[in-house]
Amino acid sequence: MKKKTAIILVSPSGLPVASVLQKELEQSTVYTTAPVEGCTQIDHIAAFVEQSFTEFSTFIFIGAMGICVRSIAPCLGHKHTDPAVINVDSTGKYVVSVLSGHVGGANELTRHVASVLGAEPVITTQSDNSGLWALDLLPSLYHWVAEPCGASMNQLIAAFVNGEPTALLLEVRDAGTSYLERTLPPHVHVCYRYEDIPVADVGLIIAVTPRIYTVDVPVLYFRPKVLHLGMGCRKEAHPQGVSEYIKEELVKSGLSPLSVVSLSTIDLKKEEPLLANLQQSFGVNELHIYSGDELNEVAVPHPSEKVDTVTGTSSVAEASAILASDGGALCLEKQKGVLTENSHFTFAVAMDSGACRGGHIEIVGAGPGDPDLISVKGRHFLEEADLILYAGSLVPRELTYCAKKGATVRSSASLALEEQFALMKEFYDRGQLVVRLHTGDPCIYGAIQEQMAFFDQYGMRYHITPGISSFQAAAAALQSQFTIPEKVQTIILTRGEGRTPMPDKEKLHLLARSQSTMCIFLSAGVVDQVQAELLQHYPPTTPVAACYHLTWKDERIYRGELQNLASIVKENNLTLTTMIVVGDAIDNREGLSKLYSHKFTHLFRKGTEGDAK
């Protein structure tokens, strides 16, 4: 394993820069030819670089660029093996990416080091400066495997960077494809089916797909890890040649073996030599072992009575592949193979359900109200959505202003639950993206449970993007830390008892016994009851805050004491969109955390007197 970073100090004048970088960069060592405290002394820079060029993943030269270039020149090999090299001038004004900008990560490191020093990054890679995708970096960012066809990787990258008309084929959906869709260059045309590619009009195809196509145009395939391989076999089936046979059959069926992400089978076969051989051959770490009862729950196209007799389930290969793919569709149904006597085996392949393009529902937390407080991921979903169904008066419509042209934006305030379901299902069934936008974090009083039950009932794919809750916005607005060292270490999120009864064990007066910081949702309408229950355990003078429309343009915050809480809410006509906060943490400035004590030891800083508790 390579060492991390060698910081080469050309002259003592660059020591302040070297010291800063050594503190910021993990596993870094400063080397210099002069005896300098805190540095490792070497005899000669060029000789050291030549001897250790393959031992480090990164070299940072601090000094003149000429020394850097002359030192590394005799050592250069290939961009896929050379370490990242950057050069920083001794004053820390400029950081230059010298070698292995993309593959080795020098460009990214240059930006990082420049930000640490407040310096200017100098990067000369064309794709970086033109705002185009760094095609050679995408695989590592999104766990794809690059497979160039019809030309070398360098030739394909050059064609793309030089503006060759390009078709982008996206047959899966993941974080990488969402990024590509958001950042399409002008010379790239996106397609979602191979049949829609205007082959005669493009000179390059970039395809994110597990499928193989025959085309005269050069193709840069990005193979996403989305195929789940299920297998069954006779007892002690001989593994010789089986993995090669399965890979050949995958290719014949138009599927790339590079996209296989997992291997699965029944627990009876978990010790089979063939299973271990396939796992090694396909290079997969993800292994799924299922019981016969689990496999019996899966409907398959090719059940087998013979398999049922031996294993207790009518399907191993197909059922395990479907389970591993989280209910994905089979893209290669059960195949049988016999290479040698008594080496019978079966296999099937399913597509990961989460990667399938088609209908998808994203439940997004809008945050407390300020459009800038939605997460970056949540904003991206809003920009991509075909339907945005937002929670009426609880979510400002301004949050939906980023919707793409042609998107449908509807409030759920006037829609019954059944109407909301029907609307979402209409878009889902057309294979479109639906964003259900809830206030705050949808998992806190978000009323999403019944929606998810509906999605489950109809087999609809959905996911939750969390948001900033209003209790967090309250802490920020009150400029208060809701936990006090050695006094308050618990935050209770709850609500008063209104039309929806509270569980007996969660009555406010019981929760109040801890005198923790309490954030009470949806309770302005029952504030008299809330005050009475809290006063059973909190002192009357306990600080309270009634926070109305947190982070909205008409935000209002009223502070006071618990004994006056009901009056504060009523006199200011506060409604259900009010967060009530109770506890000594409000406006507290006493109590010192030991986190930054010089005595405190953690992973990145060693204390002088042991761990602080």
Side-chain angles (χ1 to χ4, degrees):
M1 184 177 179
K2 287 187 176 183
K3 300 175 186 176
K4 190 68 174 177
T5 301
I7 301 174
I8 299 177
L9 183 59
V10 175
S11 68
S13 62
L15 181 59
V17 174
S19 299
V20 170
L21 294 183
Q22 186 178 26
K23 291 177 181 178
E24 287 287 331
L25 303 176
E26 296 178 42
Q27 302 176 43
S28 60
T29 305
V30 179
Y31 298 90
T32 181
T33 56
V36 179
E37 184 178 356
C39 302
T40 300
Q41 190 170 359
I42 56 178
D43 293 331
H44 191 273
I45 290 177
F48 171 76
V49 171
E50 184 175 3
Q51 293 168 5
S52 60
F53 196 67
T54 59
E55 295 180 11
F56 289 91
S57 60
T58 304
F59 285 86
I60 300 177
F61 286 79
I62 301 177
M65 175 74 80
I67 296 175
C68 167
V69 173
R70 284 193 296 271
S71 298
I72 67 172
C75 310
L76 301 184
H78 192 278
K79 72 174 186 177
H80 290 289
T81 57
D82 286 340
V85 178
I86 68 174
N87 191 88
V88 185
D89 70 289
S90 58
T91 65
K93 291 183 179 179
Y94 300 98
V95 183
V96 183
S97 177
V98 179
L99 182 68
S100 201
H102 281 167
V103 179
N107 290 357
E108 182 180 356
L109 181 64
T110 295
R111 297 186 186 96
H112 180 192
V113 169
S115 68
V116 168
L117 300 175
E120 182 176 344
V122 180
I123 298 172
T124 58
T125 313
Q126 184 175 352
S127 60
D128 289 79
N129 293 327
S130 60
L132 298 176
W133 304 323
L135 297 180
D136 48 353
L137 285 185
L138 293 178
S140 61
L141 290 174
Y142 299 111
H143 309 292
W144 299 336
V145 178
E147 185 181 15
C149 292
S152 69
M153 186 70 172
N154 286 343
Q155 289 172 323
L156 295 174
I157 292 174
F160 172 72
V161 170
N162 291 329
E164 187 74 35
T166 301
L168 174 65
L169 175 63
L170 303 179
E171 291 193 318
V172 300
R173 186 198 299 276
D174 62 14
T177 60
S178 295
Y179 165 74
L180 296 180
E181 287 178 290
R182 290 195 308 272
T183 57
L184 279 178
H187 66 288
V188 177
H189 173 74
V190 65
C191 301
Y192 299 99
R193 299 188 310 161
Y194 172 75
E195 296 79 11
D196 296 335
I197 297 177
V199 177
D201 300 327
V202 299
L204 171 65
I205 298 173
I206 299 173
V208 186
T209 177
R211 301 193 178 277
I212 301 170
Y213 296 105
T214 301
V215 61
D216 294 332
V217 178
V219 182
L220 175 53
Y221 285 108
F222 289 122
R223 300 302 189 185
K225 294 291 188 177
V226 294
L227 300 182
H228 297 267
L229 175 63
M231 61 81 63
C233 65
R234 278 192 177 181
K235 186 176 181 181
E236 297 182 358
H238 200 284
Q240 184 175 357
V242 175
S243 63
E244 291 78 8
Y245 177 88
I246 293 177
K247 289 178 181 179
E248 289 175 3
E249 291 301 308
L250 286 176
V251 172
K252 288 179 184 178
S253 301
L255 299 171
S256 172
L258 296 174
S259 284
V260 173
V261 65
S262 81
L263 185 63
S264 56
T265 191
I266 192 170
D267 51 12
L268 295 174
K269 304 298 179 183
K270 63 182 180 180
E271 303 296 338
E272 287 288 339
L274 177 57
L275 183 67
N277 178 269
L278 290 176
Q279 188 176 6
Q280 181 179 11
S281 178
F282 279 91
V284 297
N285 296 319
E286 191 176 327
L287 187 64
H288 301 279
I289 305 297
Y290 300 106
S291 67
D293 290 340
E294 290 176 299
L295 297 176
N296 269 327
E297 296 296 320
V298 182
V300 297
H302 301 101
S304 169
E305 293 182 5
K306 184 175 181 180
V307 172
D308 197 2
T309 301
V310 176
T311 66
T313 178
S314 61
S315 173
V316 172
E318 290 182 332
S320 65
I322 292 171
L323 279 178
S325 67
D326 195 22
L330 288 171
C331 47
L332 182 61
E333 296 182 351
K334 183 173 70 175
Q335 305 292 307
K336 298 179 181 180
V338 182
L339 300 185
T340 60
E341 187 177 357
N342 295 325
S343 71
H344 297 67
F345 59 91
T346 60
F347 62 94
V349 178
M351 173 79 77
D352 192 278
S353 64
C356 295
R357 294 206 75 89
H360 178 78
I361 295 173
E362 191 69 22
I363 301 170
V364 174
D370 184 341
D372 290 334
L373 286 178
I374 192 171
S375 68
V376 173
K377 187 173 185 179
R379 176 63 59 86
H380 287 163
F381 276 116
L382 290 175
E383 293 169 347
E384 299 167 14
D386 300 292
L387 167 66
I388 299 174
L389 184 61
Y390 68 100
S393 60
L394 299 176
V395 175
R397 187 175 174 84
E398 287 88 342
L399 272 157
T400 69
Y401 288 173
C402 62
K404 67 182 181 182
K405 184 177 181 180
T408 299
V409 180
R410 296 281 300 276
S411 167
S412 61
S414 62
L415 300 177
L417 198 56
E418 294 76 16
E419 293 175 304
Q420 297 175 31
F421 290 153
L423 180 60
M424 288 189 284
K425 193 171 187 303
E426 175 188 342
F427 279 78
Y428 182 95
D429 289 345
R430 293 204 299 256
Q432 295 181 303
L433 174 61
V434 176
V435 167
R436 183 66 174 102
L437 189 61
H438 282 268
T439 185
D441 183 277
C443 298
I444 303 176
Y445 303 112
I448 62 174
Q449 180 171 295
E450 58 265 43
Q451 297 176 61
M452 294 189 292
F454 177 87
F455 302 151
D456 290 339
Q457 178 184 351
Y458 287 91
M460 300 165 72
R461 295 189 300 115
Y462 63 93
H463 179 262
I464 300 172
T465 295
I468 296 175
S469 173
S470 55
F471 87 88
Q472 296 166 296
L478 294 170
Q479 294 184 319
S480 298
Q481 178 178 308
F482 280 177
T483 56
I484 305 173
E486 301 183 28
K487 186 173 183 180
V488 177
Q489 292 292 287
T490 301
I491 303 170
I492 296 176
L493 310 181
T494 188
R495 56 184 294 274
E497 187 167 34
R499 287 178 297 178
T500 303
M502 291 291 287
D504 289 339
K505 293 183 292 185
E506 297 180 20
K507 301 289 188 181
L508 273 183
H509 69 274
L510 298 178
L511 299 178
R513 289 182 300 187
S514 68
Q515 295 189 23
S516 304
T517 301
M518 191 176 294
C519 300
I520 306 172
F521 293 71
L522 307 169
S523 300
V526 291
V527 68
D528 288 306
Q529 176 188 333
V530 167
Q531 177 177 306
E533 290 201 57
L534 295 178
L535 283 172
Q536 293 184 37
H537 293 286
Y538 286 95
T541 56
T542 301
V544 297
C547 309
Y548 173 78
H549 269 186
L550 283 159
T551 78
W552 292 46
K553 294 177 181 178
D554 59 345
E555 173 185 284
R556 287 181 286 152
I557 296 177
Y558 302 90
R559 287 172 163 85
E561 296 180 345
L562 177 56
Q563 59 191 344
N564 301 318
L565 175 60
S567 298
I568 292 172
V569 170
K570 292 176 181 178
E571 290 173 5
N572 292 287
N573 299 314
L574 302 184
T575 65
L576 286 175
T577 51
T578 299
M579 165 68 66
I580 297 172
V581 184
V582 182
D584 289 329
I586 297 174
D587 294 327
N588 178 75
R589 293 296 182 270
E590 298 178 358
L592 181 64
S593 169
K594 294 183 174 63
L595 178 62
Y596 296 105
S597 168
H598 70 280
K599 298 180 180 180
F600 186 77
T601 301
H602 60 53
L603 181 62
F604 301 107
R605 183 175 68 247
K606 294 182 179 179
T608 58
E609 299 182 26
D611 291 350
K613 303 297 185 184

